[in-house]
Amino acid sequence: MTQASTVAGADGGVRSVARAFDLLNAFDAEHPIRTLRELVGITGLPKSTVVRLLGTLTTQGIVAARGDSTTYSVGPAFLRWIGLADAMWEIGAEARRSMTQLRDRCGETVNIYIRQDLHRLSVAQVEGTTTVRSVVQVGAQYPLVVGAAGRILLGGCPDDVLQALAEQEGTTSTVDLRTEAAGAREAGYAITHGDRELGASAVAAPILSADGRVIAALSISGPTSRFTADRVAAYVDAVTDTARQISAAGLGTVEAFL
């Protein structure tokens, strides 16, 4: 096999893995079951490609076929990874208590976000106490360049990540992102209204490692109508206080990967 054909084969393998993840990402808490037609529509892949990928994933137990094999869900193979993921990415008991106390103090939903590549995701959530509240899907990817938590995490990004983000967005520059990151670092918190989603507001502060690195962002979020000027001032105090507590206590086993 020539070097060119080896590279082509490797590229094809990577592409197949990416397509497999596109299929898996179609399943979530609101859509635990998908039809073949839905999967074709969501991924934009040819039906023959989707059928071939589903066949491979089903053989490995990663996807399960139901009934006449035109309806699918995640498979039992995920069960062996659930406990492992919980153990490796679980925040410590003290950090969880601090999150709960912050929720009780403000009434709003509390999340701890970390950066993964060019995205952010929540690794822990304590839902707010009100009927109308902000809730995100733990483990789901969200944009890094929007939202209060995103602004905090930008403060911990090296220049090469900021450059990649600027290239990905196409509507902002590395200088702009560097300015946002510096502003969040200097203030020690970030406030956004309708940044990621219209009608939603958030306040976030950095969680630091023992050597002073920004490793996570602690945020509270909820409807903009409740984030009035006087409440936001109190929220900033509460979030920054709690972020310092968690920084001092540590995040738990998850911190080893940050």
Side-chain angles (χ1 to χ4, degrees), residues 25 116-117 119-122 137 139-143:
N25 283 329
Q116 289 283 281
D117 195 25
H119 300 86
R120 62 183 168 97
L121 57 86
S122 171
Q137 186 176 352
Q141 291 183 337
Y142 292 95

Side-chain angles (χ1 to χ4, degrees), residues 4 14 63 177 232 235:
V14 171
V63 166
L177 291 176
V232 165
Y235 290 168

Side-chain angles (χ1 to χ4, degrees), residues 216-253:
L218 175 72
S219 80
I220 62 168
S221 58
T224 298
S225 59
R226 289 205 297 266
F227 278 63
T228 57
D230 56 337
R231 283 187 176 180
V232 165
Y235 290 168
V236 167
D237 289 341
V239 173
T240 54
D241 286 347
T242 305
R244 282 192 291 267
Q245 293 172 10
I246 296 176
S247 297
L251 272 177
T253 55

Side-chain angles (χ1 to χ4, degrees), residues 49-132:
T49 300
V50 173
V51 170
R52 184 173 67 253
L53 288 170
L54 287 171
T56 300
L57 294 173
T58 300
T59 300
Q60 299 297 321
I62 296 173
V63 166
R66 297 160 58 94
D68 58 0
S69 296
T70 61
T71 306
Y72 299 85
S73 184
V74 294
F78 277 103
L79 293 172
R80 65 187 287 258
W81 291 313
I82 290 174
L84 179 60
D86 282 341
M88 300 308 296
W89 292 94
E90 174 63 21
I91 65 168
E94 191 165 347
R96 178 74 68 172
R97 280 194 298 270
S98 294
M99 291 179 67
T100 302
Q101 290 168 358
L102 177 60
R103 188 276 311 274
D104 294 342
R105 182 174 172 181
C106 299
E108 306 293 352
T109 296
V110 179
N111 278 279
I112 289 179
Y113 288 92
I114 63 170
R115 179 177 72 85
Q116 289 283 281
D117 195 25
L118 304 183
H119 300 86
R120 62 183 168 97
L121 57 86
S122 171
V123 293
Q125 179 173 248
V126 178
E127 292 190 20
T129 57
T130 58
T131 301
V132 179

